Amino acid sequence: MDQCWGEDVYRGTFAVVDLRAIRWNLQNIMSRLSPGTDTLVAVKANGYGHGAPQVARAAAAAGASYLGVASVEEALKLRAAGIQTPILVLGATNYEGAVVAARHDVEVALTESCLAWPQVSADMIIRGHLKLDTGMSRLGLKTVDGCRAFAQWLKTRPDVKCVGVFTHLACADAADLTHAERQMEQFRSLRNALAEAGVRPLRAHAANSAAALRRPDWHEDMVRIGISAYGYAPSRAFALPVALRPALSLYSFVTRVEALAPGETVGYGATFQADRPCRIATVPVGYADGYPRILSNRSWVWLHGRRAPVVGNVCMDQLMVDVTDILDVAVGDCVTLYGYEAPSEWRSGAAWTEGGGTEEGVQTWLRNGYERAVRMTGGTPMQPVISLDELGDLAGTISYELMCALAERVPRIYVE
Ligand SMILES: Cc1ncc(COP(=O)(O)O)c(C=O)c1O
């Protein structure tokens, strides 16, 4: 029986995750932090789609002291991968989850629901960071009275240790920082109330990427960096004070090139109709891979150094592009869906023959080509030929959502 690799290597669609870019971004960001500020790197949602354990290792190598995840399950996957960096579960955790987290040396967010937690056995301590809601209206204690009640409760709970206090800013990436300023004021007054009631946690943290980059006075004891570690700006509403390099690129290989006569249509719903003799290339990437269907007839891919428009509706596993104006497009040609331009030698046949026909060989061949083509040595960062900001604009969403959407079935090739 043929080997089953568990990942979709025969289809020829793959992502490259440039861990050099992640380390470079983090080092750039960290060099701008107020002295003594720690960095938590958000690796929730499988490291914003990039692969949580790999990003976690890159973050630790860059000097990060904490990892942030959304759930205890995400934390356990990191522990199972041998990651020993302190982890904070940023979202709400139920009592059972908090007990499991404590067993694995994982810290949890302490929220209003903790007050109903039963006592755990004497030899176990749940370590947590109290979450304060200062304007997100999502999670956490909101009022001075709530903080006082928490302080009273904490005194009765030797099994719960509050080692941090944090809030999350809703508008730190906006042109106008008034909302974020109000949140920071509220954060300080709630912390004062806690301190008066005897709760003085070790770490206070509020800043996400935008706040960390824009407001050194909001760094507190730790910043929580997500999107900018992955090389994207939190928004285009303010000028980035640091250079960032996107880490994620998505590639595939053309599986078919076919002529269309005027009047013929493309894809489900026949939403594209040829108004001239056309050539249509098929690319095996679809919405089940994380390429949104909303991009049907809106976006483009990069092929032979040119933009080729996506025509017809994006299917679950494939999409079609109009290559009428691009000479010599052939089956096996490499397509860049987003990220850095594919190296010119990348063709699907070459990947198999020169890579020796094994999964590892193919991946090494592709990795070596990428490393040669996408240089990461100082100076001006290379620009992606198609960025997730651009696709986000076309899809009516943000880069965050597109990177998180990259499906599990898409193999990731890691460049160290
Ligand atoms: C609680 C919390 N902190 C930090 C971050 C990181 O934010 P960003 O990716 O904008 O840096 C997130 C991401 O959503 C978050 O939910």
Side-chain angles (χ1 to χ4, degrees):
M1 204 178 114
D2 283 335
Q3 189 183 1
C4 178
W5 286 329
E7 281 185 329
D8 222 345
V9 287
Y10 294 118
R11 195 163 60 118
T13 296
F14 63 98
V16 172
V17 178
D18 199 327
L19 297 171
R20 303 170 304 175
I22 292 177
R23 289 195 303 270
W24 193 84
N25 295 331
L26 281 171
Q27 280 158 359
N28 270 355
I29 296 161
M30 286 159 79
S31 71
R32 297 179 51 87
L33 298 180
S34 319
T37 309
D38 285 334
T39 301
L40 173 150
V41 175
V43 297
K44 56 194 181 139
N46 194 26
Y48 286 39
H50 294 63
Q54 291 82 357
V55 175
R57 283 187 209 104
S65 36
Y66 257 88
L67 300 167
V69 296
S71 64
V72 174
E73 286 79 358
E74 288 186 349
L76 295 191
K77 281 186 192 158
L78 289 173
R79 288 286 183 253
I83 308 290
Q84 286 170 2
T85 310
I87 300 176
L88 170 61
V89 179
L90 298 163
T93 299
N94 62 21
Y95 167 71
E96 290 73 17
V99 172
V100 173
R103 252 189 245 133
H104 292 268
D105 199 18
V106 168
E107 296 166 17
V108 295
L110 299 173
T111 66
E112 40 284 295
S113 51
C114 303
L115 276 65
W117 283 355
Q119 194 110 15
V120 291
S121 61
D123 57 343
M124 189 181 288
I125 292 200
I126 295 172
R127 289 163 60 87
H129 297 222
L130 175 62
K131 180 75 188 273
L132 299 177
D133 175 10
T134 57
M136 251 316 256
S137 304
R138 186 168 76 171
L139 198 63
L141 302 179
K142 208 175 156 176
T143 61
V144 166
D145 283 350
C147 288
R148 287 189 188 130
F150 173 81
Q152 280 307 111
W153 172 81
L154 198 61
K155 282 182 195 146
T156 69
R157 296 301 298 257
D159 57 326
V160 179
K161 204 156 184 240
C162 182
V163 297
V165 59
F166 72 118
T167 195
H168 193 44
L169 302 176
C171 303
D173 61 344
D176 177 357
L177 284 175
T178 312
H179 190 283
E181 271 158 6
R182 260 193 240 119
Q183 281 199 258
M184 287 306 290
E185 268 165 39
Q186 176 70 352
F187 187 43
R188 287 190 180 131
S189 66
L190 292 178
R191 279 166 63 198
N192 285 342
L194 283 168
E196 277 163 21
V199 181
R200 288 187 189 80
L202 295 172
R203 279 171 203 279
H205 44 109
N208 53 7
S209 293
L213 292 170
R214 299 175 84 183
R215 293 293 296 254
D217 54 324
W218 293 350
H219 287 169
E220 309 291 334
D221 302 306
M222 183 162 81
V223 295
R224 303 189 305 269
I225 305 297
I227 195 71
S228 48
Y230 302 100
Y232 280 93
S235 78
R236 258 84 48 83
F238 68 97
L240 268 185
V242 285
L244 298 174
R245 293 169 164 172
L248 188 64
S249 300
L250 179 63
Y251 304 104
S252 191
F253 296 107
V254 171
T255 52
R256 177 191 197 242
V257 182
E258 192 55 68
L260 245 68
E264 286 191 284
T265 63
V266 176
Y268 290 117
T271 59
F272 176 85
Q273 183 171 42
D275 58 3
R276 57 174 179 160
C278 284
R279 278 184 316 125
I280 301 296
T282 304
V283 185
V285 173
Y287 58 79
D289 298 298
Y291 195 90
R293 188 171 180 275
I294 190 80
L295 291 176
S296 304
N297 293 304
R298 285 192 192 178
S299 61
W300 36 71
V301 304
W302 192 259
L303 186 54
H304 285 222
R306 302 270 302 274
R307 287 179 172 232
V310 170
V311 290
N313 282 343
V314 173
C315 312
M316 190 183 288
D317 320 300
Q318 305 178 69
L319 56 82
M320 280 67 84
V321 296
D322 184 349
V323 294
T324 314
D325 299 324
I326 308 178
L327 284 180
D328 300 332
V329 173
V331 170
D333 288 356
C334 193
V335 176
T336 306
L337 282 305
Y338 53 74
Y340 301 105
E341 180 169 25
S344 54
E345 75 264 26
W346 277 3
R347 296 198 75 259
S348 65
W352 280 96
T353 50
E354 292 176 36
T358 64
E359 179 190 22
E360 218 182 286
V362 170
Q363 291 211 358
T364 304
W365 187 83
L366 292 168
R367 186 183 297 115
N368 291 344
Y370 175 94
E371 273 181 41
R372 272 194 302 276
V374 182
R375 291 171 306 282
M376 274 291 157
T377 51
T380 316
M382 289 192 51
Q383 292 299 314
V385 281
I386 299 179
S387 84
L388 289 176
D389 284 332
E390 186 180 359
L391 288 187
D393 287 347
L394 293 170
T397 184
I398 49 177
S399 61
Y400 293 70
E401 186 175 350
L402 294 180
M403 55 181 82
C404 289
L406 185 65
E408 205 184 327
R409 75 179 187 186
V410 176
R412 277 105 165 132
I413 294 176
Y414 289 94
V415 175
E416 301 286 339

